[in-house]
Amino acid sequence: MQKKFIIQRFWPEKDKIPYWQIYEIDCQEDWTVLDALEAIRAFDPTLTYRRVCRHGVCGSCAMNINGFNSLACETRIASLPKNIKIRPLPGFPIIRDLVVDLERLYQNYTVIKPYLITSSPPEKEYIQSLEERHLLDGLYECLLCGACTSACPTFWVNENFLGPGIFLQACRFILDSRDKGFNLRKEILRKSDIWRCHGILNCVEACPKGLNPFQAIMHLRKILLFGGKR
Ligand code: SF4
Ligand code: FES
């Protein structure tokens, strides 16, 4: 299966502006975009991108494929047209080629205190009912890949906006029955720009795991307005 890959290249140390480079290669039916990038890199080792797990778990291969933020290791070549245009995640500074600087995302992650806040940890283990555990479904699966945040216009223009993925993570911790930091977490959210989300829903479309950061944002807003976790 012959495919044409049009890939954005940019090395800030030597290029003034990004440019497109074309590679035509023969792909196997069952390849993912990541397999194709590996095949290209076998003859052009200068092509730079991130990948670790190759199984949709680590989130490091998030990139923009034919206009959609996606995981390269989960996007099948067979599902794409002959021409495949790949560029780095929009909205983040480019380090090199398809690798972006996610520092802002990680800094924002620290703001929401991404760990259980407890005053007196149990001697043995936390007991969580099935119902309490199910409250985390649709939240704990987040990879922190940045695909949703990269697609969010509010994140692009508002430097205080934490981003949809980070609000989804905030929701994950505030709903955890083992966490005792409810009031502190509400204070953090009050100081955030959570009300700046305009419900454009790009984040929902972009998430490769089918999660719904907008729903998480709405849930957090409900908590801020009415109190209570549910
Ligand atoms: S919500 Fe989805 S798109 Fe956003 S960081 Fe998590 S896994 Fe990635
Ligand atoms: S390489 Fe880990 S999600 Fe793609």
Side-chain angles (χ1 to χ4, degrees):
M1 188 175 28
Q2 197 71 15
K3 293 278 187 184
K4 187 196 271 188
F5 290 86
I6 305 147
I7 301 180
Q8 183 176 308
R9 306 291 312 266
F10 182 50
W11 288 23
E13 300 85 6
K14 67 180 182 68
D15 300 324
K16 282 204 172 69
I17 54 169
Y19 64 96
W20 298 102
Q21 184 159 2
I22 295 176
Y23 302 90
E24 292 215 40
I25 60 165
D26 198 25
C27 302
Q28 291 175 22
E29 281 287 332
D30 59 351
W31 274 11
T32 63
V33 168
L34 182 57
D35 291 323
L37 291 175
E38 300 279 79
I40 292 169
R41 212 161 63 129
F43 63 83
D44 181 356
T46 66
L47 180 64
T48 310
Y49 51 89
R50 282 198 186 103
R51 56 107 177 85
V52 180
C53 71
R54 305 181 66 154
H55 292 286
V57 176
C58 71
S60 63
C61 68
M63 55 187 72
N64 188 281
I65 302 170
N66 279 355
F68 294 96
N69 290 350
S70 321
L71 295 179
C73 70
E74 284 202 324
T75 306
R76 295 268 157 204
I77 293 284
S79 70
L80 298 171
K82 178 167 168 44
N83 292 350
I84 300 170
K85 208 168 187 178
I86 304 178
R87 61 189 179 118
L89 284 181
F92 291 108
I94 300 172
I95 294 176
R96 180 176 291 191
D97 293 342
L98 303 175
V99 176
V100 291
D101 183 353
L102 295 171
E103 186 59 28
R104 184 178 160 200
L105 183 83
Y106 298 142
Q107 279 300 327
N108 289 351
Y109 189 43
T110 65
V111 170
I112 59 129
K113 301 193 183 297
Y115 43 81
L116 295 180
I117 298 172
T118 57
S119 48
S120 51
E123 262 176 36
K124 200 170 168 199
E125 61 190 346
Y126 289 103
I127 306 294
Q128 195 170 47
S129 72
L130 267 181
E131 192 197 21
E132 289 166 341
R133 164 62 190 79
H134 285 319
L135 284 177
L136 307 183
D137 287 344
L139 301 169
Y140 81 90
E141 302 93 327
C142 175
L143 312 175
L144 267 186
C145 68
C148 57
T149 302
S150 154
C152 174
T154 307
F155 181 80
W156 299 340
V157 298
N158 186 334
E159 63 182 30
N160 295 321
F161 189 68
L162 293 177
I166 301 304
F167 283 121
L168 183 129
Q169 290 281 348
C171 195
R172 177 252 172 274
F173 284 99
I174 210 166
L175 291 186
D176 196 311
S177 62
R178 299 164 296 181
D179 188 80
K180 302 296 173 229
F182 188 58
N183 289 333
L184 174 61
R185 293 190 188 283
K186 279 200 297 185
E187 268 322 295
I188 292 170
L189 289 170
R190 270 204 191 94
K191 287 183 193 144
S192 77
D193 272 355
I194 191 166
W195 301 99
R196 297 271 177 196
C197 167
H198 299 295
I200 295 166
L201 300 185
N202 279 5
C203 55
V204 181
E205 192 178 11
C207 178
K209 291 290 149 188
L211 307 181
N212 192 327
F214 176 69
Q215 200 174 46
I217 288 172
M218 293 305 283
H219 195 91
L220 292 174
R221 285 174 170 179
K222 204 167 97 183
I223 288 173
L224 290 179
L225 281 175
F226 304 113
K229 289 194 179 188
R230 308 280 170 98

